[in-house]
Amino acid sequence: MKIVFRNNLFKFGDTYWRQKSGTAMGTPPAPPYATIFYAIHENEMLKKWSEQVPFYKRFIDDVFGIWLTHNDPSQDEILWKEFCDDMDKWHGTG
């Protein structure tokens, strides 16, 4: 894997480029790498949010989850926003 990620070469038009960070889209190792990479984040986040998210399943980039609402609608809105923010902030993506 180290060799693949340090030598990400791709063609754009008539020029070739080496990607310095991450993995190039369309390369065979990209999907499993991305799945493992994000699964690490999901595991930590789901521990934190286990009371509100008792069921969460992902297949590649599709997610199905159950959110248990709080009795107080305003508190539920705050919790939902925090959950979404937590999911978006990891690794500088949000």
Side-chain angles (χ1 to χ4, degrees):
M1 292 293 276
K2 194 182 245 185
I3 292 169
V4 171
F5 295 128
R6 288 195 176 158
N7 296 288
N8 259 328
L9 302 174
F10 62 95
K11 184 178 179 183
F12 181 74
D14 292 334
T15 60
Y16 287 88
W17 298 80
R18 183 175 69 84
Q19 185 166 324
K20 293 182 178 183
S21 176
T23 185
M25 297 298 292
T27 61
Y33 172 72
T35 299
I36 292 167
F37 185 79
Y38 200 74
I40 295 166
H41 171 58
E42 283 177 327
N43 286 338
E44 293 303 312
M45 294 308 302
L46 293 174
K47 286 177 195 173
K48 177 180 176 181
W49 293 97
S50 62
E51 284 187 37
Q52 284 77 29
V53 185
F55 183 84
Y56 181 97
K57 295 292 179 189
R58 177 172 53 87
F59 179 73
I60 304 175
D61 63 350
D62 296 321
V63 173
F64 179 80
I66 295 174
W67 177 265
L68 297 180
T69 58
H70 192 277
N71 292 336
D72 177 0
S74 62
Q75 181 65 21
D76 187 61
E77 188 174 330
I78 291 167
L79 290 170
W80 176 250
K81 182 172 180 352
E82 286 177 15
F83 174 76
C84 292
D85 289 346
D86 280 351
M87 293 301 279
D88 288 342
K89 285 181 185 172
W90 193 64
H91 195 59
T93 58

